[in-house]
Amino acid sequence: MATIATNLQAVRGRIERAALAAGRKPGDIALVAVSKTFAAEHIAQAHAAGQRAFGENYAREAVEKITFLARLPLPPPLEWHFIGPIQGNKASLIAKHFQWAHSVERERIAQRLDAARPAGLPPLDICIQVNISGETSKSGVSPGEEIGLAEAIARLPRLRLRGLMAVPEPTSDVKLQHRRFALLRELKEKLVSRGHALDTLSMGMSDDLEAAIAEGATMLRVGTAIFGKRDG
Ligand SMILES: *Cc1c(COP(=O)(O)O)cnc(C)c1O
């Protein structure tokens, strides 16, 4: 069985090859290891192999792991990214324990995150999630709606808007992968032209990270290729 360290090395190799093929610097592409459903012990193994940023999408499960790992001597400190749907009653937990929230899709949630962000911490880094495949069941604002939400977030002092995030429908059609990711890049460029200083495109997972990198991803969220298949 492949170890987490070996898997991480393979993912880093994929990132490097895809970046070079796209004429980009591998160092400009951050890797968030998506550890949802995996135990703290697996996260510690990835950290020992040089991984710092971790993504979670169930707030309660995540905070248990975060508080457990915070007690271990694991320098440098881990960086936590919330990537799942944000329920109103979990906003406060997320604001207190995470450095990033990638999945903001409503002004009301942004306000709650802002209100709950502790004064001793830097502003919470935010991405707006956009539903770029147009599936009715998917999370995220519809393309176009990110403009108003970005303006609302920009007014909240305890949040720092960094960019856009998307989870397109799974497809083996590489051209379609490119089209979806290109749309997110264009939406981000539009926001930048409206004066928002954005530096983040959070897109690309285990099965489509090459297309995401070619279309400008600056942050990948990779789970299965690092930790293995999730149960259920
Ligand atoms: C689970 C998850 C991922 C990781 O997906 P893999 O296919 O396992 O790499 C990335 N982003 C989000 C929002 C997720 O929920």
Side-chain angles (χ1 to χ4, degrees):
M1 204 190 104
T3 66
I4 289 170
T6 320
N7 289 346
L8 260 173
Q9 211 170 11
V11 169
R12 289 186 192 123
R14 286 174 63 189
I15 295 171
E16 193 171 306
R17 284 191 297 276
L20 296 178
R24 302 185 56 200
K25 287 191 228 126
D28 290 346
I29 300 156
L31 174 62
V32 175
V34 177
S35 46
K36 64 187 180 198
T37 79
F38 287 95
E41 173 192 338
H42 295 109
I43 297 171
Q45 278 177 36
H47 183 268
Q51 180 63 30
R52 270 198 72 184
F54 293 90
E56 290 278 343
N57 47 352
Y58 308 102
R60 237 188 267 286
E61 173 199 325
V63 168
E64 270 179 38
K65 292 188 251 181
I66 293 170
T67 45
F68 174 79
L69 288 161
R71 287 192 220 108
L72 305 181
L74 293 177
L78 283 64
E79 181 182 286
W80 293 98
H81 296 246
F82 194 82
I83 62 172
I86 305 177
Q87 296 166 276
N89 62 356
K90 301 284 168 24
S92 157
L93 265 187
I94 292 164
K96 290 185 174 114
H97 293 275
F98 286 80
Q99 281 79 56
W100 283 74
H102 291 232
S103 40
V104 174
E105 51 177 331
R106 288 205 304 274
E107 184 174 352
R108 183 82 198 101
I109 293 294
Q111 288 166 344
R112 286 194 182 209
L113 291 169
D114 177 72
R117 183 66 170 172
L121 296 178
L124 184 64
D125 287 310
I126 299 289
C127 291
I128 294 173
Q129 184 169 355
V130 184
N131 179 359
I132 48 175
S133 333
E135 297 158 283
T136 46
S137 60
K138 270 275 168 69
S139 308
V141 301
S142 299
E145 292 176 352
E146 74 286 351
I147 296 173
L149 185 51
E151 275 158 21
I153 292 171
R155 288 191 292 267
L156 297 170
R158 304 298 297 138
L159 305 185
R160 182 171 165 220
L161 185 61
R162 299 291 297 269
L164 300 179
M165 178 273 226
V167 186
E169 78 273 49
T171 173
S172 52
D173 178 344
V174 174
K175 280 201 180 122
L176 182 59
Q177 293 176 1
H178 278 261
R179 272 215 305 285
R180 301 303 194 206
F181 292 136
L183 172 61
L184 195 72
R185 169 167 44 74
E186 287 157 18
L187 296 176
K188 180 208 162 218
E189 283 162 6
K190 262 189 218 164
L191 287 175
V192 170
S193 72
R194 284 173 163 264
H196 296 281
L198 306 182
D199 60 7
T200 302
L201 269 177
S202 169
M203 60 188 197
M205 320 201 311
S206 294
D207 291 332
D208 56 15
L209 67 87
E210 283 82 4
I213 290 171
E215 297 298 340
T218 64
M219 207 173 255
L220 310 170
R221 308 175 314 270
V222 177
T224 310
I226 296 171
F227 293 104
K229 274 207 162 51
R230 292 177 289 273
D231 297 332

